[in-house]
Amino acid sequence: MIDSELRDLYQELILDHGKHPRNHHPLKNANATADGNNPLCGDRCTVYANLHGGTIADISFEGKGCAISQASASLMTEAVKGKTTFQARHLSDLLIKMVKGQPVAGDMDELGKLVALDGVKEFPMRVKCATLPWHTLLAALDGQSDANDNNREVESI
Ligand code: ZN
């Protein structure tokens, strides 16, 4: 359980990342790029990654939308930069499970700052806002340019 003080702290972190998103720019040397959108809320997200030898050497995003989608994208770029694509996929899986309210068991520690998004599960309409950047990242890692070209977005409604 999250006590109210911690909850306020998480809310501030989300507001801060939503207002001042980190790594919010195109990436000139990107070799994996994907677009995603969440029609339910109007959120758009483009993820740029520079993959090098199985590692995400650099990552950025561009996007418009609600504070949750922007904050989630911003936190994502910070969380996966320098990680292997394997670790990034694992983290995506955990994050998506967490915001959908599915058990992530003993893996909460691995989520680090991303735990701030845990409260999203209480707002079903916001779940797709939070997962959009992550689905878009997974599409980029899969070599797909459009995150909405598959069933990823559909299954998370
Ligand atoms: Zn949204």
Side-chain angles (χ1 to χ4, degrees), residues 38 41-43 65-69 125-126 128-129:
N38 167 19
C41 180
D43 308 316
C66 67
I68 293 287
S69 68
M125 287 299 290
R126 294 267 90 96
K128 278 176 70 80
C129 305

